[in-house]
Amino acid sequence: MNAPARYELFVLEDGERAVEITEDTKIPNAATIKVIKQDHTLGNMLRAQLLSMPQVLFAGYKVAHPLQPYFLIKVQTDGTITPQAIIEQACTKLIALVAQLEQKFKREFSFKDAEANSAAAAAAAAGGQAPGVLDDPYGTGSTGGTGMWAAGRDYLDF
Amino acid sequence: MQGLEEQEPTVRIRALKKDRVNFVLENVNLAFANSVRRVVMADIPTVAIDIVEIETNTTVLPDEFIAHRLGMIPLISTNCDEAIRYTRDCVCLAGCDFCTVRLLLHVACQDHTTMDVTSNHLEVLPPDTRGGFSEETEAPDNGEEISKRSEYFGHPVGKNDLKLPPVLICKIRKGQELRIRCIAKKGIAKEHAKWSPCSAISFEYDPHNKLRHTTYWFENDIRTEWPLSENAKEEEPERDDELFDYNAQPTKFYFEVETDGSLGPQEVVMKGLAELQTKLANLILGLKTQPELDMMANDEQATNGNIAENTWGTNAGGGGGTNASSGGGWTSSAWGGGTSPRGSGWGGGTSPRGAWGGTSPNRRNAWNATSPGGGGSGSGWGTGASAGWGSPDGQANGWTV
């Protein structure tokens, strides 16, 4: 009855800030950044990206407790750039990477689509009953989920 | 990992079926590949039955049992982003046509056979029909969500496809009846696994175990006792004279994303990547807005405290300048007096938190509006911080670069 709403694990509350930065008082150019309502998905990816950057001396993250929906990421740089800025840079790089990947996926999917269509056409032309192998990957309409793609609305139009 | 930077990631789709896609992802690091896997599993919204109102249940299964089984039935959720709202974000009180899909299940057995109650018996109520739901509320406004729904949005997967066997809910005998009203809502699998669009994701790297990320138990010989996976054909086996390279990193990842039918595999993968971008963009936004928030807090206090805005403006401007030149370090000493960098040194009464709280609705809007790919931020902030400042954008740049 008094259980907190489950979505509190991943939705920021009103007025809650996504990021809290605490600068390290003892180590130069170091900061601990608390990212709220995020988990290993973002934390580990970011950590790996930071470690691949030459300005970073240290990067590590932890999810302090599995019931608490935040992670801490600690970064120390060599002083040419602030920890905040390097994290921002890392994020920008990762976004570029994901965007690149998105392009590649788009292309691959369209190739596969064309392939399947031509294969199906060939099978139909041969008059052979393809034994269910050439299943149209997007089931032209039968699942209903595909109906809207035909309507010109593409989920790629983000 | 450093070497990966120069190489472009590549993707090769090996098989694409109606409900699954098998692909190889190359030249990314393990953490990234794992994030893709995690995001596809747990962060893509779908629709699933969430509230069940049982009117009659004379079957052998208890109510909770049936309610749980109903929740697990995959419902077609194409274009979930636009076609339905989260109930928590909706203006209605307890669910309306814009944030729910209503389904009815009414089955009674009249003859002496065992009858299967399946997902095909679920009837989706079209929007604007009264289904006698107890928490029925008037649709609060005219959203465009409903027009964006595809024909079978919210229908159980396989209902319109005779080739697919339906999901069995219960078996009933003569005289038993089931009359249930269901409310399906949008959600993500982090909240409950029933909202996951994926039934399984296989993820493999290094099929020959060259990296020694795992240890195989064996009696005499690993090679005879442990069969290799299909993916092993894609990579060279380890030679016997090869030295162990302890610096090697995995670069080739074999995925198979298998969906439960609520979304197509293509939609799952593309939405997953978009979701990753959103997460990253939100983090950038969070980082960027930080100093501006402090400025806003300061600004508000300046007005409250009857202090000439000009002096504050010049002061803060100067501070901004020095910080910018020193690389944007936001240290407390710059503001004097060993106060916390959070801006509590800016004067007595109001706590900066309060000030932030006041501005939060703006922030939320700005967040929702930003495109995942954008990464550009601050635009939502410009107006708030304007008074007494030369150029808020310039300041923002000064702080954050």
Side-chain angles (χ1 to χ4, degrees), chain A:
Chain A
M1 274 304 166
N2 56 359
R6 287 178 300 193
Y7 62 76
E8 281 178 21
L9 290 174
F10 49 87
V11 180
L12 283 168
E13 275 156 54
D14 269 348
E16 195 175 28
R17 314 172 64 200
V19 178
E20 279 171 32
I21 302 172
T22 324
E23 273 178 29
D24 205 302
T25 49
K26 294 179 180 167
I27 309 167
N29 307 309
T32 304
I33 289 136
K34 184 180 179 188
V35 184
I36 296 161
K37 304 288 157 88
Q38 293 291 348
D39 61 2
H40 299 278
T41 307
L42 191 60
N44 192 25
M45 184 167 70
L46 199 60
R47 193 220 78 220
Q49 177 63 37
L50 283 168
L51 286 175
S52 75
M53 299 166 93
Q55 302 99 315
V56 174
L57 300 182
F58 176 88
Y61 88 103
K62 68 175 174 185
V63 174
H65 189 282
L67 289 179
Q68 288 170 338
Y70 68 87
F71 72 83
L72 299 168
I73 184 157
K74 195 163 206 149
V75 194
Q76 188 190 7
T77 64
D78 59 5
T80 54
I81 188 166
T82 61
Q84 284 107 302
I86 195 91
I87 288 190
E88 218 174 289
Q89 244 182 47
C91 284
T92 319
K93 278 192 176 175
L94 281 170
I95 287 180
L97 179 68
V98 178
Q100 241 180 1
L101 215 54
E102 225 167 9
Q103 288 302 318
K104 300 249 159 112
F105 264 113
K106 231 178 189 170
R107 267 187 48 184
E108 278 284 310
F109 274 121
S110 60
F111 283 155
K112 279 285 161 189
D113 257 356
E115 242 172 63
N117 286 343
S118 62
Q129 291 182 344
V133 189
L134 298 166
D135 210 4
D136 180 7
Y138 291 108
T140 37
S142 55
T143 24
T146 54
M148 136 264 159
W149 294 350
R153 233 179 294 113
D154 201 354
Y155 43 81
L156 301 176
D157 301 338
F158 286 115

Side-chain angles (χ1 to χ4, degrees), chain A residues 44 48 97 101 105, chain B residues 1 4 9-14 21-37 201-207 211 213 229 231-232 234-235 248-257:
Chain A
N44 192 25
L97 179 68
L101 215 54
F105 264 113
Chain B
M1 242 181 266
L4 291 176
T10 59
V11 173
R12 179 161 49 88
I13 296 181
R14 297 197 291 190
V21 58
N22 185 310
F23 61 89
V24 185
L25 186 59
E26 274 179 270
N27 299 332
V28 295
N29 61 39
L30 177 56
F32 183 85
N34 192 43
S35 288
V36 172
R37 183 190 64 85
I201 297 179
S202 74
F203 175 85
E204 187 182 17
Y205 63 92
D206 188 27
L211 303 172
H213 282 195
S229 78
N231 300 326
E234 298 252 351
E235 290 181 24
Q249 294 286 340
T251 56
K252 205 171 177 187
F253 303 91
Y254 308 92
F255 279 81
E256 174 148 332
V257 176

